Amino acid sequence: MSILVFLPGNILGKYSSEIRPAFFLTIPYVLVPFWAGVRVFNQAQPPTCCTPNMVQEEQRKGLLQRPADLALVIYLILAGFFTLFRGLVVLDCPTDACFVYIYQYEPYLRDPVAYPKVQMLVYMFYALPFYGLAAYALIFPGCSWLPDWALVFAGAIGQAQFSHMGASMHLRTPFTYRVPEDAWACFFVCNMLYALGPHLLAYRCLLRPAFFQRLPPSSQVLHEKQH
């Protein structure tokens, strides 16, 4: 997540004219995480402690019978709208809501260094589709990919929000781009919730993974019941 923002921000921001050959030393930093990610995702899945009966019982429950999942779905929908809204803000959407937000709540999004703008676009192009897919996986059972990807996005969004919130209030950020004092509470609550939500989703996936397990063939389930 950091390199997705750092590289385009350097090229597009106000420091683009100061790029030196050392900039290309970041290439290994881009390639190594991809290599590590491919290796991790290609590993065999460890055996699960959930029996087929446990999986079937968990997957029979509707969304209303799983209040924690219902709360997470509502959160993902709201986070998706917030992601889309901030993406439109940095794209200079002319609506009054976007104008008020960028000047009164997060003026850092106007900073010419371009890092905040790139960060919001990365959220819109990557986090927004994930929020939609994660909400789908919490409603419909058997999406075995969600626990792994929830961990990936929890780490990525946690890192991104730490950098974004810190830069928005840092003393070296020009005063006109810092969060106004009367907007600190709103800014802090919204951004902290945006950072904590994916971690709660990852924790839920690790705590009760049965809902996301793929059921074995019916003949195998019947054989296990007989024994």
Side-chain angles (χ1 to χ4, degrees), residues 52-71:
N53 289 337
M54 292 172 58
V55 174
Q56 283 185 326
E57 182 179 353
E58 186 68 20
Q59 293 185 357
R60 284 196 194 100
K61 297 178 181 178
L63 184 61
L64 297 178
Q65 297 174 292
R66 295 176 283 119
D69 290 356
L70 177 61

Side-chain angles (χ1 to χ4, degrees), residues 12-219:
L12 301 173
K14 68 178 182 180
Y15 299 114
S16 59
S17 60
E18 301 179 23
I19 292 178
R20 299 292 183 265
F23 178 76
F24 296 101
L25 293 175
T26 57
I27 292 177
Y29 189 60
V30 177
L31 298 178
V32 171
F34 278 103
W35 170 79
V38 170
R39 286 203 61 181
V40 169
F41 277 95
N42 284 337
Q43 290 178 353
Q45 291 288 338
T48 178
C49 60
C50 302
T51 65
N53 289 337
M54 292 172 58
V55 174
Q56 283 185 326
E57 182 179 353
E58 186 68 20
Q59 293 185 357
R60 284 196 194 100
K61 297 178 181 178
L63 184 61
L64 297 178
Q65 297 174 292
R66 295 176 283 119
D69 290 356
L70 177 61
L72 283 172
V73 169
I74 294 173
Y75 165 82
L76 291 169
I77 293 173
L78 294 177
F81 278 116
F82 187 55
T83 302
L84 179 61
F85 175 71
R86 291 204 293 185
L88 294 175
V89 166
V90 299
L91 291 174
D92 296 327
C93 179
T95 62
D96 292 341
C98 293
F99 181 84
V100 170
Y101 186 82
I102 201 169
Y103 279 93
Q104 297 186 13
Y105 293 94
E106 283 200 58
Y108 178 59
L109 298 179
R110 298 187 292 116
D111 196 321
V113 295
Y115 298 124
K117 292 183 180 180
V118 174
Q119 183 65 77
M120 295 305 114
L121 293 178
V122 168
Y123 279 155
M124 189 166 68
F125 293 132
Y126 293 96
L128 180 58
F130 170 73
Y131 287 147
L133 292 172
Y136 172 88
L138 287 170
I139 298 172
F140 300 98
C143 297
S144 58
W145 48 266
L146 181 60
D148 290 337
W149 282 106
L151 281 174
V152 171
F153 274 87
I157 293 176
Q159 181 277 329
Q161 284 297 102
F162 175 83
S163 300
H164 177 69
M165 293 175 68
S168 297
M169 297 180 287
H170 200 278
L171 293 177
R172 291 195 176 184
T173 299
F175 181 78
T176 54
Y177 299 129
R178 289 185 220 159
V179 178
E181 290 188 9
D182 58 347
W184 273 12
C186 179
F187 169 82
F188 191 80
V189 169
C190 290
N191 280 276
M192 279 300 296
L193 288 175
Y194 195 84
L196 291 176
H199 290 78
L200 295 176
L201 173 64
Y203 178 70
R204 181 265 177 267
C205 294
L206 294 175
L207 185 65
R208 297 196 308 274
F211 185 79
F212 310 106
Q213 300 284 326
R214 290 185 180 274
L215 280 172
S218 56
S219 58

